[in-house]
Amino acid sequence: MEVTADEFASVTGGRWEVRPATTWRYRGLGWAWQTCAPGRIIVARGQGFRYGIDLSTLKRDMGHHGVILGADTPRPKGNLPILRVDSIHHAIGKLAGHVRAQVDTPIIAVTGSVGKTTTCHLLHHLLGSLGAVAMNGQCNYPDGIIGEAANLGQVDYGVFEASLQGLGEATTILKPNVAMVTQVSPVHLAETMSLLELAKRKAGLFNALAPGGTAVINRDIPYFTEVLGIANANTRNVLTFGEDARAHFRLVDYDIAEQRVKARILGEDVEYELGIRGRHMAINSLGVLAGAHALGVDWNPLLARFAAARPVSGRGTVERLQLGRIRVSIIDDAYNASPAAMEAAFTTLGTTLPTGKGRRIAVLGDMLELGDDSPAFHRQLASPLLASGIDKVHAAGEMMKWLWEELPPERRASRAAKANDIFRPLVRSLTDGDVILLKGSHGTGVHQLAEDLRYLALAPDLGEVGLWASCWLVAAVHGVERYAPSRIRRWVAWEVSKAVKH
C-alpha cells in the first residue's frame, strides 16, 4: 500500500505546515514508544489522544518521516515534516479505516476479563515465526487499537487486544477476521453491571467481525450460551476451547512440573511443552491455537514454539533472588487481579515446591473495580487459597480485610492499608527457600514490592554505597518521583541491614 503526502493529508483531514519531499511515502505510524521505528511519522502527545510521544524526548536522528500535531500542540524545533490536524483521535481513526480498507492482512482481536494479554503475547510469539506481526500490546483502549491498525499495511498479521472500553468504534474500524473471548469473570464491574451484562458486552466484539469471520470462545465461561448466541448472530463460524468435553480445542491434562500440555484438537490428540507455567496458561494456549487455525494457519508445526514462550512481565514471571544469605523465588503476577486470576495464581503457587525448609507465601493486594459484591469476592478467596497449601499471607488494602478475617491465625503474616507498609514485615520474615507470590490490582502498588525486592537483591553484592548509586541511576532514568530519596534511605538503613542479617 502506497500513500503520498497529499493523499495522507487528505485521508487524515490535516494540512502540512512543513511539507515533506515529493518522494515522501507513508511508512507507518509511531503512536507510542514501542512503535517508533525509523521511517514512521510520529504522533505527538496531546489532548484527545491517550498515547502519543513527548516530542521533547524524541531524538532527531532516528530517521522519522514527520510529526502529527494536534490543534493546540506547539510546533517542535527542527525541520521534520509537520502535519497539523484538528483532532488526533479522529485523524488516526480515518487513517486506520483507510488502511484497513486497502489491505487484507489477517487480523485477530482478543478481549476478556483475564487472559487477553497472555493470549496476544502467545499469538505474537507463534505468528512471528511466519512473518511480521502488528500488535498493540497492553495499549488496549480505542487509541491503541486504531493507532496500530494504521500500521497494518507493513505487516503480515495483526494481533489486537481490546479492553471493555476498546470495544465499539475502534474494533468496528479494525474489522477483525477472528474475534476471541478468553474469559468472563468479575473484574472492572461498574456498580450497576451484572456478570451477565459483562459477558454480553465482551461478546459485543463479535459485532465487529469481518464478513465470513470466526468467533473463538472459551467453552468454560459463565453465560457461554448467551455469548454463543451473540456470536451466532454475527457469523456461522464458531470455534471453542477450554476443559469442557465439547470444546473443539480441549485441555485433557496439564503437568505443571514438566509444563506439558495434553490436548485433543479437532479430534486429534497432541502434546506439547509450554514455557509459561499454570493450568490457566495451558487453556490460553489452546485459545491461541484456535485463533491461529481460524486465521488459516497450520497450527501443528507451531506446537514446538510454545516451549520457548516466556511470561509477560508482571504476569507470572518467576525469578530467583539472593537476599543477604538467603535465596528466595518470587512469582511476579502483580500486574492486575480478579477472582479468577487470583485462584489461578494460588494454584500456581500451590504447585511450586519451595526448597529446603522454605514456605509458600502470598503477598496480596485488593481486587479493584468489583462493585458492591467486592467484600464477598474477597472472602471467597479463602477457600482456594487454603486448598492450595499456602503457608503465610501478607494482605494489603481495605478489601483484603475480608479475606484476612476468613484465614486461620496460623496463616496470617501481616496486614496493612498500603502495600508499601508490608515490605518490612515481609523481608523480616523471609527464610531460605521461600516462594513468594505477589498478586493484586495494579492500583494497589503490590507490583512495586516486586521491584523493591529486585533492588534489595543488589545489596549483598554492591553494599550500601553501591545500592545508593544504583537507585540514583534508576531515578535518573525513570524520574525521582518514583524512587524518592526517602525510599532509597529506607532501603539502605533498614531493609538491607535486615536482609543481610539472615
Side-chain angles (χ1 to χ4, degrees), residues 50-51 109-117 120 136-146 160-172 174 180-183 187-188 193 198 200-206 208 315 335-336 369:
R50 187 179 183 90
Y51 307 106
V110 181
T111 193
S113 301
V114 294
K116 53 186 179 291
T117 296
C120 289
N136 64 326
Q138 298 173 53
C139 300
N140 54 25
Y141 283 77
D143 289 335
I145 294 171
I146 61 175
F160 288 79
E161 177 179 332
S163 64
L164 193 63
Q165 296 87 344
L167 303 179
E169 175 196 10
T171 49
T172 299
L174 189 63
M180 182 190 304
V181 173
T182 61
Q183 184 57 269
V187 62
H188 305 308
M193 188 189 301
L198 177 64
K200 290 180 176 178
R201 289 186 62 181
K202 291 290 186 182
L205 177 60
F206 302 138
R315 297 179 185 269
Y335 186 85
N336 226 322
E369 300 179 64

Side-chain angles (χ1 to χ4, degrees), residues 297-330:
V297 173
D298 183 2
W299 50 266
N300 211 308
L302 298 178
L303 293 179
R305 284 188 57 79
F306 274 128
R310 294 296 178 264
V312 181
S313 177
R315 297 179 185 269
T317 51
V318 180
E319 303 167 57
R320 289 182 173 84
L321 302 178
Q322 188 77 40
L323 304 179
R325 297 189 179 92
I326 70 170
R327 191 169 180 83
V328 301
S329 297
I330 64 170

Side-chain angles (χ1 to χ4, degrees), residues 94-128:
K94 292 175 182 177
L95 175 63
H98 177 77
V99 171
R100 184 63 179 119
Q102 302 299 313
V103 301
D104 57 0
T105 306
I107 297 171
I108 181 167
V110 181
T111 193
S113 301
V114 294
K116 53 186 179 291
T117 296
T118 295
T119 297
C120 289
H121 172 68
L122 285 173
L123 279 164
H124 186 274
H125 176 70
L126 293 192
L127 297 176

Side-chain angles (χ1 to χ4, degrees), residues 258-414:
E258 298 293 330
Q259 295 184 218
R260 294 200 67 80
V261 178
K262 292 183 179 180
R264 188 165 181 79
I265 297 178
L266 300 173
E268 179 182 350
D269 292 323
V270 301
E271 186 173 340
Y272 55 92
E273 181 183 347
L274 181 61
I276 305 177
R277 290 171 60 85
R279 192 176 188 88
H280 59 302
M281 296 299 184
I283 294 173
N284 288 341
S285 73
L286 290 171
V288 166
L289 293 175
H293 177 74
L295 285 178
V297 173
D298 183 2
W299 50 266
N300 211 308
L302 298 178
L303 293 179
R305 284 188 57 79
F306 274 128
R310 294 296 178 264
V312 181
S313 177
R315 297 179 185 269
T317 51
V318 180
E319 303 167 57
R320 289 182 173 84
L321 302 178
Q322 188 77 40
L323 304 179
R325 297 189 179 92
I326 70 170
R327 191 169 180 83
V328 301
S329 297
I330 64 170
I331 303 173
D332 182 2
D333 200 7
Y335 186 85
N336 226 322
S338 67
M342 280 283 191
E343 291 189 28
F346 296 161
T347 300
T348 300
L349 177 58
T351 51
T352 302
L353 294 177
T355 59
K357 296 182 179 179
R359 304 154 301 163
R360 297 180 179 94
I361 298 171
V363 180
L364 307 177
D366 286 349
M367 300 180 293
L368 303 178
E369 300 179 64
L370 294 182
D372 291 339
D373 292 329
S374 184
F377 286 129
H378 284 80
R379 277 194 295 265
Q380 291 164 8
L381 293 178
S383 179
L385 186 153
L386 296 172
S388 296
I390 295 172
D391 298 295
K392 292 291 183 180
V393 176
H394 296 264
E398 180 182 352
M399 286 293 106
M400 272 297 159
K401 69 181 179 182
W402 301 110
L403 168 62
W404 186 261
E405 292 175 356
E406 297 293 317
L407 297 177
E410 65 271 15
R411 302 294 179 96
R412 300 174 183 171
S414 70

Side-chain angles (χ1 to χ4, degrees), residues 190-254:
E191 293 184 2
T192 58
M193 188 189 301
S194 67
L195 194 59
L196 173 58
E197 184 179 353
L198 177 64
K200 290 180 176 178
R201 289 186 62 181
K202 291 290 186 182
L205 177 60
F206 302 138
N207 298 330
L209 273 170
T214 302
V216 178
I217 312 171
N218 185 336
R219 192 67 177 74
D220 305 323
I221 61 174
Y223 302 108
F224 169 78
T225 301
E226 288 79 2
V227 171
L228 178 62
I230 296 173
N232 286 334
N234 288 279
T235 180
R236 296 181 178 180
N237 306 316
V238 177
L239 290 174
T240 60
F241 67 97
E243 296 187 81
D244 191 288
R246 295 163 289 184
H248 298 102
F249 290 69
R250 177 167 68 92
L251 180 66
V252 175
D253 192 24
Y254 174 68

